[in-house]
Amino acid sequence: MMDAFGIIQHLNINCSPLFRNRGAEKCLSHSSEFNVNKAHPMLPKTVEIFKSMEAWAKNNVLTLLKPVEECWQPQDFLPDPTSDGFVEQVNELRKRTRDIPDEHFVALVGDMIIEEALPTYQTRINSTENFHDEMGVDNTPWAIWTRAWSAEENRHGDLLNKYLFLSGKVVMKQIEKTTQYLIGLGMLAMQYGDIKLAQICGIIASDEKRHETAYTKIAEKLFELDPNDMVIAFANMMRRKISMPAHLMYDGHDHNLFDHFAMVASRIGVYTARDYGEIVELLVAKWKVEKLTGLTSEGQEAQDYVCRLAQRMRRLEGRAIAKAQKAPSIPFSWISGRVV
C-alpha cells in the first residue's frame, strides 16, 4: 500500500534526478551490496539546491515535529502492566477484538510489519549525501528531521505490535519472522465494536498526516527551485510504478505475501485503486504541475503524462476493484493459516 507520504518519500529519495545515480540504483536494487557507511554522491547542482534549502527546512519542516513530552506513547492505549487490574484489562481487550474479522487482522498485521521495517526506510534516506548522518548527531535540518521522524514513526509499530500480541488473534512468531525477513532484505475497527482500536488507527493517522505535510512541502519547494528535473522525476516514478520496500515481505512460506496482503486490504476497502488515483490528483494539484512553465521538451512530455494520469487511473479503477473482489482466498500464517 502507498499513501501520499510514501509517494513523496520515494519521489525525493529513490526517483528524483536530484538524488539518482547509477551507483545508488545498484545499491538499492541489491541489498547485499548496500553500504550504509557510504553516502550516495550527488551532482554539485543537487548539493547546492539542498544546502540552499536548509534555512527554509528549519522554518517549514522541523516546525512540524512535536516535542517528545507532547507526543502520545503506545502505553497510552494499552493495558497497564503495573496495574492490579492488568489481567482484567487484557481480557477486556480480547473481548473487544473477538468479532473483528480475520481480513482486518491481516490488514493490520501487514501495516504493522511495514511500520516495523522502519530501519530500512531510515537507511535509504540516510544513504543520500545531503541527508547523510554518519554519527547520528549531525545538526543539519535534514539529519534532525530524519532522526526525529524515525523516532515518531517507531511508536506506530510498537503500539500495533503490542496490541496484536495482547489480542491473542495472531501468530506472533510468524509476524516476527516476516519483519526480520523484510528488514534483512531491505525493506476499520469501530465497525466491529473496538473503540480503542479505532482510536489507535486515528492517532497513528494524525502522525502520518504531519509527516505527509513535511514531505509534500519539501517536494513543493523542489518544484519551485528545479521544476524541470522534478516533473521528469515524478513522471519516471509513476511510469515505473511505485514499489514499497515492503514488497519484499516474506514469512518463510508465501513468496507473494505482499501482493496477497494488498489484495485483502483492497477487498475490505483499506486501500484501493480509487485511493491511489485520488492521491496522484491531489499531488498534481498541490504542486501546481499543470501550471509549470519554462520546461524542456522532456519536461513538457512528463508534465502532460502526470497531469493526465489520474484520469487514466479512473478508467482502470473498476477493473482493479473487481480483480480484488474476485481474488481467491489465501491462507495466512499470521492468523494460524486461516483462509481469507
Side-chain angles (χ1 to χ4, degrees):
M1 296 191 298
M2 174 65 67
D3 57 12
F5 153 70
I7 288 179
I8 297 159
Q9 184 187 25
H10 279 245
L11 174 64
N12 284 288
I13 296 165
N14 296 343
C15 302
S16 171
L18 298 176
F19 287 100
R20 191 173 61 229
N21 62 75
R22 289 186 177 183
E25 288 183 340
K26 183 177 181 182
C27 284
L28 293 177
S29 299
H30 302 284
S31 58
S32 62
E33 299 174 22
F34 190 74
N35 181 358
V36 298
N37 293 319
K38 184 176 180 180
H40 296 156
M42 290 182 175
L43 295 173
K45 170 190 173 184
T46 306
V47 174
E48 287 306 312
I49 287 175
F50 274 89
K51 284 191 178 299
S52 73
M53 289 173 60
E54 288 188 357
W56 173 88
K58 184 176 180 179
N59 295 322
N60 292 273
V61 177
L62 298 189
T63 53
L64 292 167
L65 296 169
K66 295 177 70 174
V68 173
E69 295 301 325
E70 295 180 16
C71 287
W72 61 267
Q73 298 300 331
Q75 189 54 54
D76 295 336
F77 300 91
L78 297 166
D80 182 0
T82 66
S83 167
D84 291 337
F86 175 66
V87 174
E88 289 75 14
Q89 293 171 30
V90 172
N91 289 336
E92 177 60 29
L93 185 153
R94 292 189 171 206
K95 182 179 178 181
R96 292 197 312 266
T97 61
R98 190 178 299 154
D99 297 326
I100 297 178
D102 282 342
E103 290 88 344
H104 290 69
F105 273 103
V106 167
L108 201 59
V109 169
D111 285 343
M112 184 207 74
I113 290 169
I114 291 170
E115 293 282 2
E116 291 206 323
L118 178 65
T120 301
Y121 313 142
Q122 184 176 7
T123 297
R124 284 193 171 192
I125 296 174
N126 203 34
S127 66
T128 56
E129 189 172 330
N130 269 58
F131 283 77
H132 191 54
D133 184 11
E134 188 171 357
M135 301 303 294
V137 293
D138 286 4
N139 62 359
T140 68
W142 307 119
I144 293 170
W145 165 262
T146 302
R147 292 195 300 269
W149 165 76
S150 299
E152 288 193 1
E153 287 282 327
N154 182 64
R155 299 167 303 146
H156 302 173
D158 191 20
L159 173 54
L160 292 173
N161 186 303
K162 290 175 180 175
Y163 176 89
L164 289 166
F165 169 76
L166 292 172
S167 77
K169 294 287 291 284
V170 299
V171 183
M172 291 305 298
K173 185 172 182 178
Q174 287 301 127
I175 294 171
E176 290 157 358
K177 282 171 60 178
T178 306
T179 303
Q180 184 175 352
Y181 273 122
L182 180 56
I183 294 176
L185 287 169
M187 263 294 262
L188 302 168
M190 181 74 81
Q191 179 181 352
Y192 296 95
D194 191 352
I195 296 174
K196 184 62 69 173
L197 179 55
Q199 292 174 342
I200 289 172
C201 294
I203 199 70
I204 290 175
S206 68
D207 271 359
E208 299 291 8
K209 181 61 180 177
R210 283 189 297 109
H211 299 162
E212 174 191 327
T213 299
Y215 285 98
T216 303
K217 283 187 171 186
I218 293 171
E220 187 174 20
K221 188 66 175 178
L222 289 169
F223 266 108
E224 176 188 323
L225 296 174
D226 194 356
N228 197 70
D229 278 354
M230 281 298 288
V231 74
I232 292 171
F234 194 6
N236 285 344
M237 181 190 64
M238 299 310 297
R239 286 191 178 104
R240 293 207 311 255
K241 299 198 169 42
I242 296 168
S243 251
M244 284 287 283
H247 77 279
L248 298 170
M249 191 183 286
Y250 179 59
D251 61 351
H253 304 282
D254 186 351
H255 290 278
N256 298 306
L257 184 56
F258 181 81
D259 291 339
H260 293 151
F261 148 68
M263 201 67 73
V264 170
S266 177
R267 187 192 307 154
I268 64 176
V270 171
Y271 190 84
T272 68
R274 181 179 294 112
D275 298 314
Y276 192 85
E278 288 176 354
I279 289 169
V280 171
E281 189 171 44
L282 173 69
L283 294 178
V284 167
K286 176 68 177 176
W287 295 332
K288 299 181 176 63
V289 177
E290 193 172 1
K291 297 180 180 179
L292 296 177
T293 59
L295 303 176
T296 64
S297 58
E298 185 182 5
Q300 291 172 356
E301 181 185 354
Q303 179 186 41
D304 182 66
Y305 174 79
V306 296
C307 288
R308 296 174 183 269
L309 188 57
Q311 185 178 358
R312 285 197 290 272
M313 287 178 170
R314 284 197 198 93
R315 291 199 295 267
L316 299 173
E317 180 183 301
R319 189 187 308 171
I321 293 174
K323 180 181 178 182
Q325 295 298 329
K326 294 178 181 178
S329 297
I330 298 292
F332 282 85
S333 66
W334 303 336
I335 51 173
S336 301
R338 295 192 296 276
V339 173
V340 296

